Amino acid sequence: MEGQVIGAGPYRATKLWNETIKLFRGGMPLRRHWANFRCYDCTFTGSEAVDYLHELLRSNYNFGPEVTRYQTLQLLRKFFKAHVIEDVKGRHGTEDFEDNSHLYRFPTMSPLKSLPTRPSWRDGSDLPRLIRWDDYEELPQKENVAPQKSAELTSDLWNKRHSVAIGDVHECKLIRRREVTSKQVDHIWKSMTITHLQRVLGLKSLDGILNPAHVNGKDIVVNIFNVNKTGIVVLENKAEDMPYWVVSAMKCLANWPEGNDAKQPLYPGFERDVLRTVADYYQKLKEPLLTFHLYEVFVNILSLLQEQDKAIEALQVSCLLLPPPNRRRLQLLLRLMARVCHNPRLPPLNDTIATRTLMVQMFSHCVLGSPDDMDLDELLATKLVTFMMEHHGAISQVNAKLRCQVEEHLSHLKRAQIKYAGSDTDFSASPAFCKQIKRVDCEEQKVIGTQIPLQQLLEGLIADQELPAKDKRKRLKQFQKSYPEVYQKRFPTEESKAAVIPEKAPRLKPHLVLFNLKKPFQPFQRSWSFRA
């Protein structure tokens, strides 16, 4: 039974918990059992429950084949503590659920989690508004900076900005924003990163998933720019870094056998003790590396794992939200896990468990965990950490699209612009993100964005009754020279042109005529002509 695939959305972990309980209750085989000379109907043994739930979880997309029998037993113990199941005497939570022949049953109603109610965060002030061109200062006129191309023009604004073509230059001034502070840069990174994450997850809102108050824009900037050549975060405060002995142990395993300073094991099983040293450090951290605040964010990413590229992009962006010490520890851990799993020269680290399975089991709960004991965090962490380990190189990189969008916006804020009198609209503002369109739509927008205002301008010139005929002909001639396609479309023939444009008054010019004074005056035929 595969069950329902829970998509991205608020409180996805709670929905998965409830869905798993429903699947377990609905499919677990029940039968009559004997114990202590008594008959118990509609019951099951602990081992039967582990067998059934283990196969259920392994075949369910939300969890996958990486789920172990031990993890299944741990989940059943949570179910027992939460009174999803009880023993045949009606007891629950007072002792551990056991993988043996002890008898259990379902209570009349297994409790489901209710979705918690949280206030809406999108209406708050935690998510900063992108800085626009509302605040500017005038520049000296000696700085010759060309105006930026407008995103959209009305015919009236087109008149103001392109009036040179028709003989008028309206009053304008050169402006720029005041210098963007480092705090404003942090806010821009925070706002645009959260917006990008919401778009990648395909959600209308991040309510119930991410509280913007828990995101620090400065952390994002550090995670992007304070890195070494391999992309690993470099901490300015060394007190926040990992102890030297832990880093040395990780290097020893990651580069085995070259990473061992002694060049050979000091004793049999030396590599296992080194691994235990690293594991002890990570398992004693007060909080999972992905933090409790971001738990719902990463649980939602699990629904994207079938679309590998989208899942990697979501992880790239969401990992930027981590505190820099957490991001550094995560990067080093994922790199260690990947290298250990792909190193054929490393001796087995466990006698019964494969190295890959051991690494995931040992560190998954150090990476992702829920503050709620009654949760599926261990199962979800297994699936997420497996994916992150396999794609740790790509996940450690900064998302190129996000970086390009933020840098373009910051570059826009530093540009000078020409501001026309009576127009307070900034038409060159960079959008938060772009949407690709078809070539046909692009060509259509070109026509709408340029030719229509030009056509309106031409009609305005034609209809202007106060403009002298001489000036009107002069401006129309300039318009024809600057925009021949628009002019030709309006006046395809000479007749259409003559119908609306006043002609010049004829002016008489005589040709040179030779007269013979001895003969009577006889003008030559066609000695006079009119020139248009």
PDB file of all heavy atoms in Angstrom, residues 66 118 127 183 233 306 353 464:
ATOM      1  N   GLU A  66      14.894   3.308   2.248  1.00  0.00           N
ATOM      2  CA  GLU A  66      15.996   3.467   3.194  1.00  0.00           C
ATOM      3  C   GLU A  66      15.563   3.214   4.638  1.00  0.00           C
ATOM      4  O   GLU A  66      16.408   3.083   5.527  1.00  0.00           O
ATOM      5  CB  GLU A  66      16.572   4.889   3.084  1.00  0.00           C
ATOM      6  CG  GLU A  66      17.156   5.230   1.720  1.00  0.00           C
ATOM      7  CD  GLU A  66      18.442   4.470   1.450  1.00  0.00           C
ATOM      8  OE1 GLU A  66      19.074   4.013   2.420  1.00  0.00           O
ATOM      9  OE2 GLU A  66      18.817   4.337   0.272  1.00  0.00           O
ATOM     10  N   ARG A 118      -1.514  29.344  13.857  1.00  0.00           N
ATOM     11  CA  ARG A 118      -0.468  30.361  14.021  1.00  0.00           C
ATOM     12  C   ARG A 118      -0.917  31.648  13.347  1.00  0.00           C
ATOM     13  O   ARG A 118      -1.670  31.627  12.383  1.00  0.00           O
ATOM     14  CB  ARG A 118       0.846  29.901  13.388  1.00  0.00           C
ATOM     15  CG  ARG A 118       1.407  28.629  13.997  1.00  0.00           C
ATOM     16  CD  ARG A 118       2.740  28.292  13.359  1.00  0.00           C
ATOM     17  NE  ARG A 118       3.237  26.994  13.779  1.00  0.00           N
ATOM     18  CZ  ARG A 118       4.354  26.442  13.314  1.00  0.00           C
ATOM     19  NH1 ARG A 118       5.080  27.082  12.429  1.00  0.00           N
ATOM     20  NH2 ARG A 118       4.752  25.266  13.735  1.00  0.00           N
ATOM     21  N   LEU A 127       9.138  40.814   6.987  1.00  0.00           N
ATOM     22  CA  LEU A 127       9.615  40.652   5.618  1.00  0.00           C
ATOM     23  C   LEU A 127       9.815  42.038   5.015  1.00  0.00           C
ATOM     24  O   LEU A 127       8.862  42.755   4.748  1.00  0.00           O
ATOM     25  CB  LEU A 127       8.611  39.866   4.785  1.00  0.00           C
ATOM     26  CG  LEU A 127       9.054  39.500   3.366  1.00  0.00           C
ATOM     27  CD1 LEU A 127      10.322  38.674   3.403  1.00  0.00           C
ATOM     28  CD2 LEU A 127       7.964  38.751   2.643  1.00  0.00           C
ATOM     29  N   LYS A 183      23.069  47.354   5.861  1.00  0.00           N
ATOM     30  CA  LYS A 183      21.846  46.823   6.454  1.00  0.00           C
ATOM     31  C   LYS A 183      20.757  46.662   5.403  1.00  0.00           C
ATOM     32  O   LYS A 183      20.014  45.670   5.402  1.00  0.00           O
ATOM     33  CB  LYS A 183      21.370  47.747   7.570  1.00  0.00           C
ATOM     34  CG  LYS A 183      20.168  47.211   8.338  1.00  0.00           C
ATOM     35  CD  LYS A 183      19.799  48.132   9.490  1.00  0.00           C
ATOM     36  CE  LYS A 183      18.598  47.581  10.265  1.00  0.00           C
ATOM     37  NZ  LYS A 183      18.222  48.456  11.394  1.00  0.00           N
ATOM     38  N   VAL A 233      31.835  27.569   4.007  1.00  0.00           N
ATOM     39  CA  VAL A 233      31.777  28.831   4.754  1.00  0.00           C
ATOM     40  C   VAL A 233      33.006  28.978   5.634  1.00  0.00           C
ATOM     41  O   VAL A 233      33.441  28.023   6.297  1.00  0.00           O
ATOM     42  CB  VAL A 233      30.499  28.885   5.617  1.00  0.00           C
ATOM     43  CG1 VAL A 233      30.513  30.116   6.520  1.00  0.00           C
ATOM     44  CG2 VAL A 233      29.267  28.904   4.727  1.00  0.00           C
ATOM     45  N   GLN A 306      11.374  13.939  -6.281  1.00  0.00           N
ATOM     46  CA  GLN A 306      11.220  13.280  -7.586  1.00  0.00           C
ATOM     47  C   GLN A 306      11.698  14.179  -8.715  1.00  0.00           C
ATOM     48  O   GLN A 306      12.127  13.700  -9.761  1.00  0.00           O
ATOM     49  CB  GLN A 306       9.757  12.896  -7.805  1.00  0.00           C
ATOM     50  CG  GLN A 306       9.331  11.641  -7.045  1.00  0.00           C
ATOM     51  CD  GLN A 306       7.911  11.235  -7.383  1.00  0.00           C
ATOM     52  OE1 GLN A 306       7.040  12.092  -7.559  1.00  0.00           O
ATOM     53  NE2 GLN A 306       7.655   9.941  -7.463  1.00  0.00           N
ATOM     54  N   ILE A 353      26.393  -3.719   9.140  1.00  0.00           N
ATOM     55  CA  ILE A 353      25.686  -2.672   8.393  1.00  0.00           C
ATOM     56  C   ILE A 353      26.600  -2.101   7.320  1.00  0.00           C
ATOM     57  O   ILE A 353      27.777  -1.813   7.578  1.00  0.00           O
ATOM     58  CB  ILE A 353      25.220  -1.534   9.338  1.00  0.00           C
ATOM     59  CG1 ILE A 353      24.352  -2.099  10.464  1.00  0.00           C
ATOM     60  CG2 ILE A 353      24.443  -0.475   8.567  1.00  0.00           C
ATOM     61  CD1 ILE A 353      23.933  -1.060  11.491  1.00  0.00           C
ATOM     62  N   ASP A 464      -3.444  68.370 -34.258  1.00  0.00           N
ATOM     63  CA  ASP A 464      -3.159  69.640 -33.559  1.00  0.00           C
ATOM     64  C   ASP A 464      -3.537  70.821 -34.456  1.00  0.00           C
ATOM     65  O   ASP A 464      -2.856  71.124 -35.449  1.00  0.00           O
ATOM     66  CB  ASP A 464      -1.678  69.678 -33.197  1.00  0.00           C
ATOM     67  CG  ASP A 464      -1.367  70.803 -32.218  1.00  0.00           C
ATOM     68  OD1 ASP A 464      -2.241  71.681 -32.022  1.00  0.00           O
ATOM     69  OD2 ASP A 464      -0.253  70.818 -31.646  1.00  0.00           O
TER      70      ASP A 464
END
